[in-house]
Amino acid sequence: MSSVEANDYRIQELAAGYSLGDLTDAEWHEIQSYDRKIFQAMVERSEEASACTFLTFQNTVPSERMPAELSSRLQKMATGFFADDTTPAIQKASNAVTIAPSAMGVREISAWLCMAASIALALCVWLPGKREWVTSLEEQRASLIASAPDILRSKWESTAPETKPGTELGEVVWSTASQQGFMTIRGLPANDAKKEQYQLWIIDPSRDDKPVDGGVFDIIKDGESIVAIQAKLRVDKPTVFAITVEKPGGVVVSDQKRLPLLAKIASN
Amino acid sequence: MLQVDESPSQSIQSILAQVARREPQSLNHCIERYGNLIWSIAKRYSPSQADAEDAVQEIFLELWQKADRFNPSLSAETTFVTMIARRRLIDRFRKQSRSVEVNSVENDFDEQPNLSSTASVELIDEAAKATRCLDGLVANQRDILRKSIQEGKSHSQISSELEIPLGSVKSFARRGLIQLRQCMERFSVAGTGVAS
């Protein structure tokens, strides 16, 4: 097997793991080293195969009926779904989706809040006529800011000579409700991924004193980069986001010898 | 059997197309048609009944939001629905806890009728392709994929049940899915007939 074929097979293997939900932390990191569009296209094909497989197996088992109470709840949700701006159930303003609690129960509200964020952040977007993953990180970030009710924002501060002096360094945005966030980064030099990579850490004292791994990433060009945060554990009350420089693939515990950027959350 | 309640009038036209056109009754038709299917998927991938119910609500909302992105020339509507549901459930599981095992709400694997996979070819074309391709897998791969994809079991549960090392389960599952995908894609290219 040539190196190109081996690389291609590895992408297929990781896409299969993604579809089966069995990727390890190291593999999540590894994904970032592959071309995003190629990987996502392969994921989509794997997910379609998984869906067909599910349906095939499902066809051999007795039918199960959804609980009547759940069905009623869905029908209540449906009542408000097509409502326009004047209806109380759901109000849409530009890109934002806001909820009017009086129209729904707690459970429905939770579902709406969750979906408002998750729809905005969905990894794949289906377009009529072709299958593509078209949502850019910039669009995903904008959607999160527009839709998440609990968005936290903080500007990066330079803590080391890696950053270019006088540069507006960007910011981090985070939504605890959706467990999603994005970093906008300017001024960090491009890294050689074979030698070192950047790694995000999230400090959440409500968990414990160990920072949560926020994912390994590369800066591949000068100018602005947007990076999706890949928190490996749930983060509830983040107080600091810190970027360190680590060996390729990242580390489990950082010695923090090189920590070029830091963003503190003012109040939580 | 496949849990899609399909009345004659609904089968003529895509429910999701009706949702995309914001037709008043379309959402209820969507619930009627796909409720049992989505419930079945959610149960298998959720640690509790309450969690499964929350997941079903999320999935329907996502489905309605993305209804306009369904293209019947690319996949069967049921496949599209299943893809959205599985992805949402896997994401939920990953976010909730990456270390906690997911136990299906109910394990009905042992109660399944002992049907040959080729006995269920009749429904949708894509499932039929999968059926033929599943028959091309070795027994271990087929069993592991069934437990992983259809029953929503974790690899460690499968490892324990089948007494196969965890690494082998993972490897069998991934290779099996890759083979299935490639086989189904050969079907699509060929149009009809059996992929080699």
Side-chain angles (χ1 to χ4, degrees):
Chain A
M1 189 184 285
S2 71
S3 61
V4 173
E5 287 169 335
N7 190 58
D8 182 56
Y9 190 79
R10 183 62 182 153
I11 291 174
Q12 293 183 50
E13 209 172 23
L14 290 170
Y18 187 96
S19 301
L20 293 165
D22 71 6
L23 291 176
T24 63
D25 286 356
E27 287 172 331
W28 278 102
H29 290 157
E30 187 185 346
I31 286 170
Q32 296 181 34
S33 67
Y34 295 104
D35 182 280
R36 181 171 166 264
K37 282 189 176 174
I38 291 172
F39 180 72
Q40 287 170 336
M42 186 58 72
V43 164
E44 192 178 328
R45 290 158 64 189
S46 289
E47 294 204 326
E48 183 172 10
S50 300
C52 292
T53 302
F54 176 89
L55 290 167
T56 305
F57 284 134
Q58 191 65 13
N59 192 33
T60 65
V61 300
S63 179
E64 297 171 81
R65 296 211 73 80
M66 181 169 57
E69 194 271 333
L70 176 59
S71 181
S72 303
R73 215 181 303 150
L74 289 170
Q75 283 162 7
K76 274 188 196 168
M77 278 176 17
T79 305
F81 187 78
F82 286 150
D84 61 23
D85 290 348
T86 60
T87 58
I90 177 167
Q91 300 169 351
K92 296 184 179 180
S94 61
N95 292 327
V97 178
T98 56
I99 309 300
S102 60
M104 291 184 279
V106 173
R107 207 166 183 128
E108 285 83 353
I109 292 167
S110 302
W112 274 112
L113 288 172
C114 185
M115 282 312 301
S118 61
I119 288 163
L121 290 168
L123 279 172
C124 80
V125 171
W126 293 68
L127 288 181
K130 58 180 179 177
R131 290 177 180 184
E132 284 185 348
W133 301 69
V134 295
T135 306
S136 69
L137 288 172
E138 191 174 359
E139 289 166 332
Q140 291 177 44
R141 176 181 173 277
S143 294
L144 177 67
I145 292 169
S147 62
D150 63 336
I151 203 78
L152 297 173
R153 303 178 79 145
S154 179
K155 289 188 182 300
W156 293 116
E157 298 168 22
S158 174
T159 57
E162 274 92 347
T163 52
K164 293 175 184 172
T167 308
E168 179 71 30
L169 299 167
E171 66 171 357
V172 59
V173 297
W174 174 258
S175 164
T176 294
S178 61
Q179 291 291 297
Q180 300 280 353
F182 294 90
M183 298 179 277
T184 306
I185 298 168
R186 299 184 206 98
L188 271 188
N191 61 298
D192 178 349
K194 290 178 184 170
K195 293 179 181 169
E196 60 188 22
Q197 289 187 288
Y198 293 106
Q199 187 165 7
L200 174 71
W201 301 93
I202 308 166
I203 297 172
D204 177 0
S206 71
R207 287 185 55 86
D208 52 35
D209 57 357
K210 294 174 186 168
V212 173
D213 179 359
V216 175
F217 61 96
D218 298 313
I219 299 293
I220 55 175
K221 60 180 173 54
D222 288 338
E224 182 176 288
S225 300
I226 297 179
V227 179
I229 295 173
Q230 301 282 351
K232 302 303 182 295
L233 296 169
R234 183 174 174 82
V235 174
D236 287 317
K237 293 181 178 174
T239 55
V240 175
F241 293 79
I243 294 173
T244 61
V245 182
E246 307 291 354
K247 65 183 182 183
V251 295
V252 178
V253 178
S254 174
D255 60 14
Q256 300 180 26
K257 281 183 180 168
R258 296 173 66 193
L259 196 160
L261 292 181
L262 198 68
K264 297 172 190 166
I265 302 298
S267 60
N268 201 9
Chain B
M1 288 297 135
L2 189 67
Q3 292 153 6
V4 177
D5 292 334
E6 193 171 3
S7 70
S9 61
Q10 288 170 15
S11 65
I12 294 167
Q13 214 174 19
S14 156
I15 295 285
L16 292 180
Q18 293 172 25
V19 173
R21 289 195 299 271
R22 301 167 70 88
E23 291 181 12
Q25 287 305 310
S26 60
L27 299 181
N28 284 334
H29 289 160
C30 189
I31 295 166
E32 285 165 21
R33 184 165 183 175
Y34 294 116
N36 292 342
L37 172 65
I38 292 174
W39 172 243
S40 297
I41 303 172
K43 276 181 70 182
R44 283 163 176 75
Y45 284 80
S46 300
S48 69
Q49 174 103 1
D51 198 66
E53 291 185 8
D54 286 346
V56 168
Q57 291 179 98
E58 288 183 18
I59 291 164
F60 267 105
L61 285 164
E62 180 167 2
L63 196 55
W64 298 340
Q65 290 279 0
K66 290 183 174 169
D68 61 337
R69 295 166 189 165
F70 167 64
N71 183 341
S73 69
L74 295 176
S75 69
E77 190 169 85
T78 314
T79 306
F80 181 84
V81 171
T82 306
M83 285 175 73
I84 295 241
R86 284 192 74 253
R87 171 49 42 208
R88 167 71 27 214
L89 287 157
I90 288 171
D91 283 348
R92 274 176 67 91
F93 169 53
R94 184 171 59 79
K95 281 176 192 166
Q96 282 167 359
S97 169
R98 299 187 66 165
S99 59
V100 175
E101 295 282 310
V102 170
N103 295 305
S104 297
V105 175
E106 181 182 304
N107 178 3
D108 58 4
F109 181 58
D110 293 333
E111 298 166 8
Q112 290 169 18
N114 186 21
L115 296 179
S116 154
S117 55
T118 49
S120 56
V121 179
E122 72 278 6
L123 278 172
I124 57 175
D125 182 49
E126 286 163 343
K129 282 183 215 163
T131 302
R132 303 294 288 273
C133 292
L134 277 165
D135 284 345
L137 297 181
V138 296
N140 261 352
Q141 281 181 319
R142 198 165 48 237
D143 286 349
I144 289 169
L145 282 178
R146 177 194 286 273
K147 287 176 183 294
S148 175
I149 293 175
Q150 198 250 336
E151 298 175 26
K153 288 182 176 167
S154 70
H155 288 350
S156 56
Q157 286 174 307
I158 298 169
S159 167
S160 169
E161 282 183 23
L162 298 180
E163 297 181 339
I164 296 174
L166 184 59
S168 302
V169 170
K170 188 171 182 174
S171 175
F172 270 129
R174 289 185 180 185
R175 284 184 204 160
L177 184 55
I178 290 169
Q179 281 181 39
L180 270 182
R181 178 185 56 71
Q182 290 173 337
C183 173
M184 292 171 66
E185 288 173 356
R186 285 197 296 272
F187 263 121
S188 299
V189 171
T192 57
V194 179
S196 57

